[in-house]
Amino acid sequence: LGIPEIHLRQYILMVRDRMFSNPYHNFTHAFDAMQACYSLGQQSGILQRLDDTQRFAILVAALSHDLEHPGVTSLALVQNHPHINAQLYDTANKLEIHHCNRALEMMVAHGLIAGVGTEKYDAFRTMVTGIIMATDMSRHREYVVELEKVLAKKEQGQKRRQAMTIQLECELLMKAADISNVWRPFRVAQKWAMRVTDEFFQQGDLEKEQGMAPGSNPK
């Protein structure tokens, strides 16, 4: 794409700086999800079927998919985190909308969009947005249904794969990468499990302080 290496480095460093010090939703998780996305994409052959712009879209979306995550769910966000103005996003998936907007804003600021080109920008933006929005766990059943439709077809192999759009393949790849810590070696998966549990308990403590009932559905 001809994006200068310095621009990529600046973007990665900015993502690192804009990931908060949460037990789970931090820069390590963001980088881990991107690495998992690349590994799964290579093993499945998905990345080989994409063009350069599409490959860049899925990897940069994976790195940015939890940008500025406050460590709480969208419901708790409305009550307790005014630094991310939840009222701006009149949807249930406020966090994912914010991740998308901030990621695209930062890509423009650091010159990454110039490598995509104006003629491909709309498709690139749509792809990045769809991939990040796919990490909203409230939509999990929606993706299960779509995958079941594909698996129910009589075709096998390449013909079955052709039943899925590239966008759907990339969104499913991102979903798998986002929650991939459970199939890592146990010593690694155990640490991630403890971290996500700690983050949920932190939200519960915060909700108690605010007079809310703890136990909001996790993102």
Side-chain angles (χ1 to χ4, degrees):
L1 295 178
I3 300 174
E5 182 178 331
I6 185 64
H7 290 179
L8 287 171
R9 289 185 178 185
Q10 288 173 342
Y11 183 79
I12 292 170
L13 291 174
M14 180 58 70
V15 171
R16 184 193 65 180
D17 290 344
R18 298 310 302 165
M19 292 300 297
F20 305 143
S21 299
N22 302 310
Y24 182 86
H25 289 101
N26 51 44
F27 182 68
T28 302
H29 166 66
F31 196 89
D32 182 66
M34 182 183 71
Q35 188 277 333
C37 207
Y38 176 79
S39 179
L40 291 172
Q42 286 286 82
Q43 294 179 56
S44 64
I46 292 176
L47 290 182
Q48 290 88 330
R49 296 193 293 276
L50 305 180
D51 62 31
D52 289 345
T53 301
Q54 291 169 330
R55 279 192 290 269
F56 178 61
I58 191 168
L59 292 177
V60 76
L63 180 66
S64 313
H65 79 281
D66 274 330
L67 198 56
E68 295 186 335
H69 197 295
V72 298
T73 63
S74 290
L75 179 61
L77 177 67
V78 175
Q79 299 291 332
N80 302 303
H81 286 265
H83 64 284
I84 299 181
N85 191 347
Q87 302 304 323
L88 288 175
Y89 312 120
D90 189 22
T91 62
N93 42 20
K94 299 176 189 295
L95 286 175
E96 288 74 24
I97 292 290
H98 181 78
H99 304 326
C100 291
N101 289 346
R102 291 293 285 135
L104 291 168
E105 176 186 326
M106 286 167 49
M107 287 181 213
V108 171
H110 290 283
L112 270 60
I113 299 303
V116 173
T118 54
E119 69 282 358
K120 292 186 177 181
Y121 175 68
D122 286 345
F124 173 81
R125 180 183 60 187
T126 298
M127 189 171 195
V128 168
T129 299
I131 291 169
I132 293 178
M133 295 299 292
T135 64
D136 178 6
M137 288 303 294
S138 70
R139 299 179 61 204
H140 184 74
R141 180 59 187 166
E142 171 187 334
Y143 283 100
V144 171
V145 169
E146 288 299 317
L147 190 55
E148 286 175 342
K149 289 179 182 178
V150 174
L151 295 176
K153 295 181 181 297
K154 295 182 180 180
E155 295 88 350
Q156 298 292 324
Q158 184 66 23
K159 289 184 178 180
R160 173 179 284 180
R161 180 174 293 150
Q162 290 172 350
M164 287 196 290
T165 65
I166 287 178
Q167 183 68 35
L168 179 58
E169 282 190 292
C170 289
E171 290 176 11
L172 289 170
L173 180 61
M174 181 68 246
K175 281 185 63 62
D178 190 27
I179 57 176
S180 63
N181 47 76
V182 296
W183 48 261
R184 305 304 175 89
F186 181 74
R187 61 181 178 81
V188 177
Q190 184 181 37
K191 291 179 180 179
W192 281 117
M194 293 303 298
R195 284 182 169 272
V196 74
T197 301
D198 288 345
E199 192 165 296
F200 289 152
F201 271 98
Q202 281 189 5
Q203 174 175 320
D205 292 340
L206 182 61
E207 288 168 337
K208 287 181 181 179
E209 292 175 5
Q210 299 295 324
M212 298 171 60
S216 303
N217 290 331
K219 172 189 168 186

